[in-house]
Amino acid sequence: MLRYALLGFLNYQPLTGYELKQFMDSSTSFFWYAKLSQVYTTLKSLESEGLLDSRVEAQAERPDRRVYSLNERGAEELRSWLARAMTELEPQKNTFLLRLFFSGESEKENLLAQLHLMRQLHQEQLEVYTHQSPEVIRQTAARSPGLARHAMLWEATRRFGEMYEEMFTRWLEETIEVVHKNFT
Amino acid sequence: MLRYALLGFLNYQPLTGYELKQFMDSSTSFFWYAKLSQVYTTLKSLESEGLLDSRVEAQAERPDRRVYSLNERGAEELRSWLARAMTELEPQKNTFLLRLFFSGESEKENLLAQLHLMRQLHQEQLEVYTHQSPEVIRQTAARSPGLARHAMLWEATRRFGEMYEEMFTRWLEETIEVVHKNFT
DNA sequence: CGCACCATGTAATGCGTTACATGATTTT
DNA sequence: AAAATCATGTAACGCATTACATGGTGCG
């Protein structure tokens, strides 16, 4: 799947593996992320499949950079992936819910401490979506007027993150209340 | 991670691989699931690590069943996993958001069709959490009075599913509206 | 002086999926 | 007569993580 994320970013402009990782970290990271090592290996395999081209740029007093760019076959692969609509819900995994599900024999205090810690973390994440992300989107979109329709969709994903964290925080408060009152 | 899910279920009672898969499908599947083949291989490796015991039950006119049970070391492993609190948010992946993020050059109609389809799917899933899941929990808890505190936490995870799908549906409606009005 | 950042990659391992293989019983 | 359920597993593959390996620049 990382393949498509990389094709998507390279559809905007040629980039190195290192830069791709940075772009991901500052935009899609809350719904798609990867380690640098995976970015490098995936770029290599995309190039060997003929979906990307690369050239090495020599730099004075810095390591050489390998810049990847999307070629026509890569652009076609991206379009065809986007055209294939999803017809089923994607199964999700959530370790925190798994733990909670099996915590019936845990100490009440440990359970409450874990729930409070999670609330803290989700509130912080909510702050990121409400305060930092809008700025990132505005700045990126400002660099080119052709990106207006893209920015609308970036904003939609940001809004998802915001609503998700709002919901998560509300659920944690509700759950803390229930555990506090009824857990023996 | 599946290891811990299996240890968790086996903490209630001895089960076969096939039964474990069924239990997962009817309870944790929205935040943890696995294929049968993985269940079997993971059980085997848990046994070889000495966390589970198994015995084969011969059956007349049915294939033999291998029943796994948690031993003291397995119970300890489960407890120690539950005791190690999470201190960071778990990164999530969501293919639908990834596609949306890169759909700036897609046809408006295709995009709206995809959003409508997703709304349909999430509304159906919401129905499952509000109508089917409470019954499953009530019935399972009714089988043994010692499961009351467990049932409280099962209910908390169900409630998460309900709130998640509610939120997702609201977000889809908001996004459909935005795309409908502003996407060219 | 040490840490963060820039920059690239390989190797080993682990977790999970898909495909393969078998076969009886029960339900439609 | 066909499909679903019960029941078990192995083999091949793919995606992702962790660890290893290197080395210069800039900042506090």
Side-chain angles (χ1 to χ4, degrees), chain B residues 11-41:
Chain B
N11 190 37
Y12 296 127
Q13 63 196 282
L15 292 165
T16 69
Y18 195 85
E19 289 168 333
L20 277 159
K21 164 72 169 155
Q22 288 179 316
F23 269 79
M24 257 194 286
D25 286 349
S26 68
S27 59
T28 64
S29 64
F30 93 86
F31 53 84
W32 212 273
Y33 60 90
K35 302 284 157 97
L36 248 180
S37 64
Q38 196 197 353
V39 172
Y40 284 121
T41 51

Side-chain angles (χ1 to χ4, degrees), chain A residues 31 33 81 84-86 90 93-95 99 101 104 114 117 149 152 156 159 170-171 174 182 184, chain B residues 31 33 81 84-86 90 93-95 99 104 114 117 149 152 156 159 163 171 174 182 184:
Chain A
F31 52 86
Y33 60 90
W81 177 65
R84 269 175 262 141
M86 292 173 73
E90 209 192 5
K93 296 200 174 177
N94 186 317
T95 304
R99 289 164 154 281
F101 187 88
Q114 174 74 97
L117 175 56
R149 346 161 77 216
M152 195 188 305
R159 177 73 179 132
R170 269 190 295 118
W171 173 78
E174 195 183 299
N182 305 320
T184 49
Chain B
F31 53 84
Y33 60 90
W81 177 66
R84 268 175 263 141
M86 293 173 72
E90 207 191 5
K93 294 201 175 177
N94 187 316
T95 304
R99 289 163 155 280
Q114 174 73 98
L117 176 55
R149 348 161 76 213
M152 194 189 305
R159 177 73 179 132
M163 287 174 75
W171 173 77
E174 195 183 301
N182 306 320
T184 48

Side-chain angles (χ1 to χ4, degrees), chain B residues 56-72:
Chain B
V56 176
E57 278 181 13
Q59 295 196 120
E61 299 174 29
R62 277 288 172 82
D64 294 348
R65 309 152 32 94
R66 182 174 291 271
V67 183
Y68 288 91
S69 52
L70 200 66
N71 61 29
E72 188 41 49

Side-chain angles (χ1 to χ4, degrees), chain A residues 2 32-33 35 37-38 61-63:
Chain A
L2 176 62
W32 213 273
Y33 60 90
K35 303 283 156 95
S37 63
Q38 197 196 353
E61 300 176 26
R62 276 291 171 82

Side-chain angles (χ1 to χ4, degrees), chain B residues 103-118:
Chain B
S103 293
E105 285 161 33
S106 298
E107 294 291 331
K108 180 175 185 170
E109 275 155 51
N110 293 348
L111 199 51
L112 284 170
Q114 174 73 98
L115 289 164
H116 282 280
L117 176 55
M118 279 291 132

Side-chain angles (χ1 to χ4, degrees), chain A residues 109-171:
Chain A
E109 275 156 52
N110 293 347
L111 200 50
L112 283 171
Q114 174 74 97
L115 289 164
H116 281 281
L117 175 56
M118 279 292 131
R119 184 181 53 177
Q120 176 66 23
L121 294 173
H122 281 286
Q123 273 172 348
E124 283 166 17
Q125 194 55 40
L126 178 56
E127 279 295 300
V128 173
Y129 296 135
T130 52
H131 295 105
Q132 287 168 233
S133 307
E135 264 314 293
V136 175
I137 293 173
R138 217 172 303 143
Q139 280 171 25
T140 312
R143 275 191 254 140
S144 152
L147 296 176
R149 346 161 77 216
H150 298 85
M152 195 188 305
L153 300 179
W154 302 342
E155 165 61 18
T157 61
R158 181 206 65 79
R159 177 73 179 132
F160 183 94
E162 181 177 54
M163 288 174 74
Y164 178 76
E165 298 301 344
E166 253 170 42
M167 178 281 294
F168 213 127
T169 305
R170 269 190 295 118
W171 173 78

